[in-house]
Amino acid sequence: MSNRLAIYPGTFDPITLGHLDIIERSVSIFDEVVVAVGRNIGKQPLFSVEERIEMIIKTTAHLGNVRVTYFDGLIVDYARKLNAKAMIRGLRAMSDFEFEFQMALVNRTLHPELVQVFLMPHEAYTHLNSTIVREVSSFNGDISAFVTPYVAKVLHEKFHITDDE
Ligand code: ADP
């Protein structure tokens, strides 16, 4: 029997409860989900690849069929290399749609066999993105509704380590 592998690419700077919601939905329909941390041209991330991977591993530790990796280059090429059947994307609101639609058509042209799956998170997370989390945390705001306690701690250390000393 073939192993149904899905790839979930993103920047995850850092992983939020919205991302986790999408991962939890994905693992219920695929045998294995590879969360792939990519570079985002035009975005200078707050966290290094290693830090982002570490946070994703800790956040998904309760799920048996999740692997966390890094990729460089085109996601479709990486999906081919992994022999992934599907690619997962999250759709928060209409605002995500236009960009995702455009990307999906490009990716379909580049890799027609890769099935692209769009999942909606719980309503509680539709407003959430990593940029908001970073901003709130940088002003020492409460981010406990947006990320796991571990990620909140890592963010706090990143922004406020000297405040606490
Ligand atoms: P981007 O790809 O814009 O850099 P991310 O790397 O943060 O964004 O997100 C990777 C994937 O996760 C994208 O498909 C994005 O739509 C989805 N995503 C991000 N935040 C949420 C959320 N709160 N709920 C559902 N999906 C989300």
Side-chain angles (χ1 to χ4, degrees):
M1 221 183 71
S2 71
N3 187 32
R4 283 191 187 278
L5 189 151
I7 182 165
Y8 177 38
T11 314
F12 306 103
D13 187 36
I15 183 168
T16 68
L17 295 180
H19 293 125
L20 178 60
D21 177 296
I22 297 297
I23 295 167
E24 284 175 340
R25 286 173 206 278
S26 306
V27 296
S28 71
I29 49 175
F30 291 98
D31 297 319
E32 187 176 15
V33 174
V34 174
V35 181
V37 177
R39 264 197 318 142
N40 195 325
I41 304 162
K43 271 194 201 169
Q44 180 58 43
L46 175 67
F47 292 105
S48 69
V49 169
E50 292 73 22
E51 288 172 318
R52 283 180 275 158
I53 287 178
E54 175 87 16
M55 284 186 276
I56 300 169
I57 290 174
K58 290 246 163 65
T59 303
T60 59
H62 59 295
L63 303 167
N65 48 345
V66 172
R67 191 160 27 120
V68 188
T69 62
Y70 168 73
F71 77 99
D72 205 0
L74 283 177
I75 185 65
V76 287
D77 291 338
Y78 187 56
R80 258 199 202 95
K81 200 172 127 194
L82 291 178
N83 204 14
K85 296 269 184 296
M87 175 164 84
I88 311 281
R89 295 291 289 172
L91 276 185
R92 280 160 287 197
M94 285 302 286
S95 51
D96 276 341
F97 182 77
E98 202 164 308
F99 174 74
E100 292 294 340
F101 188 66
Q102 195 180 11
M103 282 303 301
L105 292 183
V106 171
N107 286 332
R108 183 178 282 171
T109 306
L110 297 174
H111 188 346
E113 300 81 31
L114 185 68
V115 178
Q116 299 180 65
V117 178
F118 295 86
L119 297 173
M120 280 192 302
H122 187 275
E123 306 82 82
Y125 306 128
T126 51
H127 62 289
L128 193 56
N129 64 44
S130 300
T131 307
I132 291 173
V133 169
R134 290 195 305 273
E135 273 177 21
V136 174
S137 181
S138 74
F139 293 112
N140 220 353
D142 180 7
I143 49 167
S144 59
F146 310 139
V147 296
T148 60
Y150 173 76
V151 173
K153 181 174 153 279
V154 175
L155 269 162
H156 184 82
E157 283 168 5
K158 192 72 149 186
F159 284 120
H160 307 289
I161 191 84
T162 47
D163 305 356
D164 298 342
E165 281 170 1

